[in-house]
Amino acid sequence: MSRWIVGSDHGGVELRSLVADDLRALGHEVEVIGPAPGAGSVDYPDVAKQVCADVLDNAGSFGVLVCGTGQGMAISANKVPGIRAAVVSDVFSARMARAHNNANVLCLGQRVLGTELARELLKVFVASEFEGGRHARRVGKIEG
Ligand code: RB5
């Protein structure tokens, strides 16, 4: 089991809660950050930076970032060295983001995805493992 930190802005609060519940049900340790339901809006880069710092501070941990589209979170997260964040909206990409790209942060769009699809994407991302080998060489080149 792994440690997961789940964060959202106001555009992802409801899905964030489902993600955290599903991860806990799978037996993972889960921490949640971001605004409470109904609280005011926050800026997604602030949440992304906090989640990414936590992932890097805790070796072997993973992050999930939820905003309206997942895009702002991913753009922000991928500015942090050591973070490989993938916006995912199909099951094949959810698997490949782990298997080939060794993604350590999953980004989901609450305003884009149906709830059950989002939960399935999470499940597949969690269950998939990095294949290493030639992919390790390629991932190594991402950060020079
Ligand atoms: C907030 O309105 C929205 O812009 C944010 O959740 C996200 O979709 C940005 O990428």
Side-chain angles (χ1 to χ4, degrees):
M1 294 302 111
S2 317
R3 180 174 185 284
W4 290 72
I5 174 152
V6 183
S8 80
D9 69 358
H10 53 287
V13 171
E14 291 80 14
L15 181 56
R16 180 190 75 196
S17 165
L18 292 174
V19 164
D21 288 348
D22 283 356
L23 289 169
R24 287 195 188 100
L26 289 169
H28 296 289
E29 181 189 337
V30 180
E31 190 160 332
V32 177
I33 65 158
S41 58
V42 299
D43 297 337
Y44 59 81
D46 297 334
V47 177
K49 282 178 192 167
Q50 207 178 324
V51 165
C52 292
D54 191 282
V55 166
L56 295 174
D57 281 351
N58 294 277
S61 67
F62 295 91
V64 181
L65 288 167
V66 189
C67 65
T69 60
Q71 302 292 350
M73 288 295 195
I75 291 167
S76 304
N78 280 317
K79 293 284 184 189
V80 180
I83 292 297
R84 293 171 300 280
V87 189
V88 161
S89 57
D90 67 277
V91 167
F92 182 73
S93 297
R95 182 155 59 85
M96 287 300 143
R98 285 288 305 125
H100 286 192
N101 310 120
N102 201 14
N104 50 9
V105 173
L106 172 66
C107 299
L108 298 170
Q110 178 177 284
R111 296 172 182 161
V112 178
L113 301 169
T115 298
E116 293 310 313
L117 174 58
R119 297 176 72 204
E120 184 67 18
L121 297 172
L122 173 72
K123 196 167 86 178
V124 169
F125 186 89
V126 170
S128 302
E129 291 191 4
F130 182 47
E131 290 176 5
R134 67 187 187 280
H135 304 297
R137 183 183 70 244
R138 292 163 184 165
V139 168
K141 288 183 176 181
I142 292 173
E143 298 202 23

